[in-house]
């Protein structure tokens, strides 16, 4: 497992308050003491905010971000299906619509795009009425620097599709992708979709303001 580490300069207002403890003072009652320290610098493991511009979900930049991440999610799902204990689950095939509902229900994904990604991350099989059905791809030969690769559970030198696809995108790509999806989800929560007029935006902001006031009152209670 690898995660990026980012250093941040802490504000002079940030203070670290350590857990209080009881101190015994001779001839006095026990008192509670607090230890306060300044925080000169913070090291954050992982990344939750993108450092570059977040693309619109209708743009080509978003599609380029989404393609490897979606392929990884599909490959990881089929990899879990292939390792299931139940034989019927391992032999299960999914349609394009099933994959969309299972993995991309709350994300903007078009069927032609999803079929293109499925061709990369899954194996295509013709089902009833000549429909596309998808299953796990065969394991791939694992590249090694030396000639003594460690065997896997199947006794070979293979690794699954998800391992290869995970190296095709960066944490920064995931941040931009998730931020774009979160933006669309919040707009939908306000009743907005696609391009909106100024009047609609003002109305949505008023609704958001009312919700914020109500949430603050609940918090104060």
């Amino acid at each position: 497992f690898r995660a990026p580490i980012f250093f941040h300069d802490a504000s002079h207002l940030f203070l670290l308050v350590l857990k209080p403890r009881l101190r015994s003072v001779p001839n006095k009652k026990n008192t509670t003491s607090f230890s306060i320290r300044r925080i000169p610098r913070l090291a954050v493991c992982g990344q939750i905010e993108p450092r570059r511009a977040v693309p619109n979900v209708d743009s080509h930049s978003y599609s380029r971000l989404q393609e490897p991440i979606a392929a990884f999610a599909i490959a990881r799902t089929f990899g879990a299906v292939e390792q299931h204990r139940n034989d019927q689950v391992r032999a299960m095939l999914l349609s394009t619509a099933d994959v969309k509902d299972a993995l991309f229900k709350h994300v903007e994904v078009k069927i032609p795009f999803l079929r293109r990604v499925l061709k990369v991350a899954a194996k295509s099989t013709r089902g009833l009425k000549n429909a596309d059905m998808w299953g796990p791809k065969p394991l791939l030969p694992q590249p090694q620097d030396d000639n003594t690769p460690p065997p896997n559970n199947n006794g070979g030198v293979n690794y699954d599709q998800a391992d290869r696809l995970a190296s095709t995108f960066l944490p920064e790509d995931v941040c931009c992708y998730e931020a774009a999806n979160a933006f669309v989800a919040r707009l939908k929560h306000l009743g907005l979709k696609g391009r909106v007029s100024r009047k609609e935006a003002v109305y949505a902001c008023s609704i958001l303001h009312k919700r914020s006031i109500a949430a603050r009152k609940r918090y104060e209670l």
Side-chain angles (χ1 to χ4, degrees):
F1 174 76
R2 293 183 300 175
I5 294 179
F6 297 94
F7 289 98
H8 302 272
D9 293 329
S11 170
H12 68 282
L13 300 177
F14 289 175
L15 297 175
L16 177 65
V17 180
L18 302 180
K19 185 177 180 180
R21 61 179 181 178
L22 294 177
R23 294 184 60 184
S24 297
V25 180
N27 302 325
K28 289 186 179 181
K29 294 182 178 180
N30 291 338
T31 58
T32 302
S33 63
F34 292 84
S35 298
I36 300 178
R37 299 286 186 271
R38 291 191 178 277
I39 306 176
R41 215 173 180 199
L42 294 175
V44 180
C45 181
Q47 186 175 354
I48 59 174
E49 293 184 0
R51 308 180 75 177
R52 66 173 186 259
V54 177
N56 192 301
V57 293
D58 297 328
S59 65
H60 292 291
S61 299
Y62 177 82
S63 298
R64 288 195 297 268
L65 280 177
Q66 188 181 36
E67 188 165 350
I69 298 174
F72 169 73
I74 293 170
R76 184 175 59 179
T77 300
F78 279 117
V81 170
E82 193 177 26
Q83 297 175 5
H84 201 275
R85 296 180 180 179
N86 194 320
D87 295 338
Q88 294 181 349
V89 175
R90 289 200 301 270
M92 182 174 59
L93 298 175
L94 299 177
S95 66
T96 306
D98 292 336
V99 175
K100 185 178 185 301
D101 292 339
L103 299 178
F104 307 101
K105 188 175 183 180
H106 303 289
V107 181
E108 299 290 334
V109 174
K110 296 180 180 179
I111 294 298
F113 170 84
L114 186 56
R115 285 200 185 99
R116 186 172 75 246
V117 175
L118 280 164
K119 290 179 182 178
V120 175
K123 182 180 178 181
S124 176
T125 305
R126 291 293 178 181
L128 297 176
K129 298 182 180 180
N130 208 28
D132 284 334
M133 303 297 290
W134 306 93
K137 264 193 172 183
L139 296 178
L140 302 173
Q142 183 174 6
Q144 294 288 333
D145 296 334
D146 53 12
N147 296 324
T148 57
N152 61 4
N153 295 334
N154 297 327
V157 292
N158 300 323
Y159 76 126
D160 60 30
Q161 194 79 352
D163 289 337
R164 181 180 66 84
L165 293 171
S167 63
T168 59
F169 55 89
L170 301 172
E172 175 70 18
D173 299 331
V174 179
C175 284
C176 287
Y177 175 68
E178 294 296 341
N181 293 331
F183 172 72
V184 174
R186 290 178 181 178
L187 285 181
K188 288 183 178 179
H189 183 65
L190 295 174
L192 302 177
K193 186 177 181 181
R195 296 184 180 274
V196 297
S197 63
R198 180 179 178 182
K199 183 178 180 180
E200 291 173 328
V202 170
Y203 175 75
C205 288
S206 65
I207 295 297
L208 179 61
H209 180 64
K210 292 178 181 178
R211 289 176 179 173
S212 300
I213 294 175
R216 179 178 294 180
K217 290 181 179 179
R218 290 196 300 270
Y219 177 77
E220 291 176 352
L221 293 178

